[in-house]
Structure formats: C-alpha cells, structure tokens
Amino acid sequence: KVIESLPSGLFTTDLQGNTVIFNRAAEKITGIRREDVMGQKIETALPFLIFPFKDGRHEEELYTAQGERKTIGITLSVLFDITGAKTGFIGTFQDLTELKKLEADMKQKEKWAAIGELSANIAHEIRNPLASLRGSIEMLREDKIPVKHRRTLMDIALQEMGRLNHTITDFLTYSNPKPLDKQTVDVHALLNETLELLKNSEQNNADITIEKNFSGSLILEVDPSKIRQVFWNLGINAVEAISNGGRLSVSSREDLTHARILFTDTGSGINAHDLDKIFYPFFTTKEHGTGLGLAIAYRIVEEHTGRLSARSTPGINTTFEIILPKHHEREQRENPHY
C-alpha cells in the first residue's frame, strides 16, 4: 500500500538490472504499463539507465511512448536485504517538467525586471549630466553673461561631459568584458603598485593611513590588468568612505587551494539593508558615484572563478574579501601554461 501510494515513481531491480518492482506512479510518469517492464531491463521504461548503474541524484530527459518529453529527477542507490547483503538497486524519480517550466518563467521575469531596472539606472545616470549640460549651454547661448561666469559654465559643461564619458566607459567595461589574459604574476607586487597610486590619488585628500599587512610573494595565474583594476576599485571605494584620520589595511593569506586578499577600512560602513545590493550595477550611496566600481570588481573576480564578498559594522569598519583559486603544483608541472 505504501509503495503504490507514493507520489514518486519507485522501482527496484535485481543485480543484473531486471525490474522487480514498478509502482503506479512509475507507470503514470513513464506511460508504460507495469506488466510490460516487470522482469525486463529497467531501461525499457527509463532508457537513460544503462547498466551498470551510476549511484546518486541526477536529472535526465525522458521521451514517453506518447511522444511527450519530460524532465526526470532520479535518485538511484544500492538495495540491501536485512542481513546487509547487496540484492539489487532501488530508484525513485519525479516528473520535474512543470517545475522546470515554472523556473524558466521565473528566470525570464527576473531577467526582464533586471533589464528594466538597469535601463532606468542608466537613464538616470545620463539624464543628470545632460540636464547640467543643457542648462549651461542655454545660458551661454543668451550671450548676456559676464565673461567670468561664462568660464564657470564652460567648466561645468566640460566636467559633465567627462562624467558622461566615465559612466559610459565603466558600463562598457561591465557589460562587455574582454577575455582574460592570464599570466603567472606576483599579486603582492600588483597590490604594492596599487597602494602607491592610492597614496597619491586625488581622492586621497584626507589624512588616511594605508597599511600593508603582507610580505613575500603571492604567485597566482590571473589577468594582471583586470586584477589591478579590482584592487584599484576596492581601494578607491575604501578611501572615499574614510573620513579624516582613517585607516585602510590590506592583508593576504593563503592555503593549499585558495588565496585571500582583504581590504579593511575604518570608514562609515555599509548598512545591513544595503549590503546585499552593493555589487549591483549602478547601486551607490555616494553623491557622485556611478555604482559600477564594485560591480566591475565583482564580475572580474567571478571571471577568475573566485569570490568577492563584504562584511561591515557601520561606524567601525568594512572588509572586502577577494578569494582566488590557486593551481596545484602537479597541474603546473603537467601544463606550465595552464
């Protein structure tokens, strides 16, 4: 009664893969009658199950006798008797076709919602500088403004043009990334270069201390220009968040499989409700930020099959952690250009 009442298909086979049990749900899902499969190879009903079977959970495509294509989720394992002896195999399976359709519909809706939000953000970022440009040009066209004010308006116009160009350049970097050009490099050397540039950047106009808590070499297979951009974006983000007397600390550590680089600043921090959004394109809490710096950094780290995460205690500190995979020495010996 239990086996026949199960909503999932269930079957058992002997050690040769011949069907012993084939319940009512299995008949309904496959469209094959029990009497046509009993004593026969289970692949009669489920053609993707080729003997010897592979244990575990997986998804397969099934074409029924009625011509339907179904997505089947199946779990297969060894069947034992009460003494622990192996007597065959047992499998349970479900028809996931409708569930997969719902998932596809949801993904499509999420995709269009994301495109709509992205479009709105792009329009917002472009409309603001365009409004300033239009206002400045209209006033200049009247030709009734003192010379000193004309120069100010021209400066505003040029500044807004630069802002537009910067936004478009960043967006193209995010939306159309170049293929990785991986090289064997010392990541610590890239960090040192970036931190020296940060010390002398125009954004670093406060009394900020930059600490380096790493030494020696950290050799990884990365695209140096892209990883340098990640470091720069995280560094600028930290510097802009720090007030006078703040500190940016950069450290690294590694194990057998991964390297971790941490940027920790004593800036204003990130609110909990914003923490999940900071890697979204065009999300920013800064007055003049484009919201693409962290999004670009996140994408680059993902391209390297790594992870970028953030944690923050508002008013105390914020830490961004980059996790990058390392290659085993055996892989490097077998393929030095890996």
Side-chain angles (χ1 to χ4, degrees), residues 172-215:
L172 289 174
T173 301
Y174 174 79
S175 62
N176 189 26
K178 296 178 181 178
L180 293 179
D181 178 21
K182 283 191 174 183
Q183 302 173 28
T184 303
V185 297
D186 182 0
V187 172
H188 283 170
L190 299 181
L191 275 174
N192 277 320
E193 294 171 12
T194 304
L195 296 181
E196 285 301 315
L197 290 171
L198 274 177
K199 289 178 183 178
N200 301 300
S201 67
E202 61 180 20
Q203 289 89 342
N204 188 7
N205 53 14
D207 185 18
I208 297 173
T209 301
I210 297 179
E211 295 179 353
K212 295 189 292 185
N213 295 319
F214 57 86
S215 58

Side-chain angles (χ1 to χ4, degrees), residues 10-22 37-43 49-55 76-81 85-91:
L10 181 142
F11 66 86
T12 64
T13 73
D14 59 20
L15 289 171
Q16 286 72 45
N18 300 309
T19 308
V20 177
I21 294 175
F22 198 75
V37 72
M38 296 294 288
Q40 305 296 318
K41 296 292 184 183
I42 190 61
E43 65 185 89
L49 285 179
I50 307 299
F51 192 82
F53 304 133
K54 182 180 179 182
D55 292 357
L76 193 66
S77 56
V78 176
L79 181 64
F80 299 95
D81 64 16
K86 181 178 176 181
T87 61
F89 300 90
I90 181 169

Side-chain angles (χ1 to χ4, degrees), residues 293-304:
L294 291 180
I296 290 170
Y298 188 87
R299 181 155 194 163
I300 291 172
V301 174
E302 274 199 329
E303 288 172 355
H304 285 79

